[in-house]
């Protein structure tokens, strides 16, 4: 595999007529683009499995880009994007240093994994960095089939008659250690009225001291995060409610701050 050299030339294109901003990190390498969620598309060089995004297109919300995308782009790029949107400008150029390019690669790693190996969603997460915290993303493959097949009633049914059919994800070891939990996350799903899906997540604490808690949220741009809380048995649990469409789930550490 060839070594990709990134010179850091980055172009920002504000397209107010489309309500989007595109950020392009110039390279001659072929890239794979993927729709990560509604309003967010990214591309990654197929020859660099550890590289930064070559392209990000994001839909504007409330006259700006979503907070999570701003965090992933880093302070200087997101500030330049915000300035272009606020002034109505068409964009411009930035020259990123090597540290900033590496920062983009580290931040977007979970999305890069999804883009470059999207055929079979992996049950193991890839580690990323997010605003001084750690994060990962895992896909709920098979939601649509479960809903169509009617087998959802056998998943996570909290009844005496039905045995829940549980699935397992694995968090990156560094993230699990940072929040003091076992890497294995058990997830089960059940239907709710109106076509929504309730997703139950559970993980076992290791008992090791940790300065951060584990949070989870649907990768739908809503920025809704649920902190894992202990149940009476000591297992940590979080519950998400999402539309019935297949999507990813993000996990992140959230550091405990002193009052």
């Amino acid at each position: 595999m060839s070594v990709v050299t990134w010179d850091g030339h980055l172009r920002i294109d504000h397209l107010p007529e489309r309500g989007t901003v595109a950020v392009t990190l110039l390279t001659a390498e072929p890239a794979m683009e993927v729709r990560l969620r509604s309003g967010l598309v990214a591309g990654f060089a197929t020859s660099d499995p550890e590289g930064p995004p070559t392209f990000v297109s994001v839909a504007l919300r409330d006259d700006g880009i979503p907070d999570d995308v701003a965090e992933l782009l880093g302070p200087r790029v997101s500030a330049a994007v915000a300035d272009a949107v606020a002034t109505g400008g068409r964009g411009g150029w930035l020259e990123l240093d090597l540290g900033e390019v590496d920062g983009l690669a580290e931040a977007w790693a979970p999305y890069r994994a999804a883009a470059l190996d999207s055929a079979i969603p992996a049950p193991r997460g890839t580690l990323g960095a997010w605003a001084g915290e750690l994060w990962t993303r895992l896909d709920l493959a098979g939601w649509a089939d479960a809903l169509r097949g009617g087998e959802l009633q056998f998943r996570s049914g909290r009844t005496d008659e039905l045995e829940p059919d549980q699935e397992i994800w694995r968090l990156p070891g560094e993230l699990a250690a940072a929040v003091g939990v076992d890497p294995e996350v058990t997830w089960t799903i059940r239907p709710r009225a109106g076509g929504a899906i309730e997703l139950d997540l559970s993980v076992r604490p290791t008992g090791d001291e940790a300065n951060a808690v584990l949070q989870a949220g649907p990768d739908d741009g809503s920025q809704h995060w649920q902190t894992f809380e202990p149940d009476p048995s000591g297992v940590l649990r979080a519950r998400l409610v999402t539309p019935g469409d297949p999507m990813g789930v993000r996990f992140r550490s959230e550091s405990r701050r002193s009052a």
Side-chain angles (χ1 to χ4, degrees):
M1 182 176 295
S2 62
V3 176
V4 178
T5 300
W6 300 92
D7 60 16
H9 294 304
L10 182 139
R11 189 179 75 238
I12 297 170
D13 292 299
H14 174 213
L15 305 172
E17 65 278 5
R18 298 183 183 178
T20 63
V21 169
V23 174
T24 305
L25 189 61
L26 296 192
T27 179
E29 299 295 323
M32 175 76 72
E33 289 187 10
V34 64
R35 179 181 179 271
L36 299 171
R37 68 177 192 230
S38 177
L40 182 61
V41 175
F44 296 88
T46 55
S47 56
D48 190 351
E50 298 182 355
T54 61
F55 173 80
V56 175
S57 176
V58 56
L60 298 175
R61 290 185 178 181
D62 301 322
D63 298 322
I65 61 175
D67 290 344
D68 64 330
V69 178
E71 294 286 2
L72 294 174
L73 289 175
R76 200 154 72 95
V77 177
S78 59
V81 169
D83 182 67
V85 173
T87 61
R90 303 297 296 188
W93 291 87
L94 288 178
E95 288 194 16
L96 306 186
D97 60 31
L98 182 58
E100 289 173 309
V101 173
D102 287 345
L104 285 172
E106 185 179 14
W108 288 80
Y111 282 140
R112 181 180 62 237
L116 297 183
D117 191 18
S118 59
I120 304 177
R124 182 185 299 269
T126 298
L127 187 69
W130 181 333
E133 303 286 355
L134 303 177
W135 80 286
T136 195
R137 178 184 189 271
L138 287 156
D139 283 299
L140 287 170
W143 275 26
D145 290 341
L147 291 169
R148 283 195 299 264
E151 67 191 56
L152 195 55
Q153 59 182 319
F154 297 106
R155 294 180 180 270
S156 278
R158 292 187 175 178
T159 68
D160 295 333
E161 297 81 11
L162 297 177
E163 183 71 22
D165 179 14
Q166 299 178 328
E167 303 290 341
I168 300 294
W169 281 327
R170 287 190 66 86
L171 300 175
E174 297 93 330
L175 173 56
V179 297
V181 304
D182 187 271
E184 286 194 352
V185 178
T186 300
W187 64 268
T188 55
I189 54 178
R190 66 166 60 85
R192 290 187 57 167
I197 293 298
E198 187 173 279
L199 174 67
D200 285 328
L201 304 165
S202 63
V203 65
R204 293 190 175 276
T206 60
D208 297 333
E209 184 176 352
N211 294 320
V213 295
L214 182 63
Q215 294 184 329
D219 192 4
D220 58 2
S222 65
Q223 296 302 297
H224 292 157
W225 295 94
Q226 295 293 326
T227 299
F228 281 73
E229 301 285 356
D231 68 10
S233 70
V235 174
L236 301 176
R237 298 186 182 276
R239 180 175 297 170
L240 308 178
V241 177
T242 74
D245 299 325
M247 67 176 63
V249 175
R250 298 187 295 193
F251 297 83
R252 72 176 183 182
S253 62
E254 177 69 11
S255 295
R256 296 187 175 101
R257 270 101 175 165
S258 301

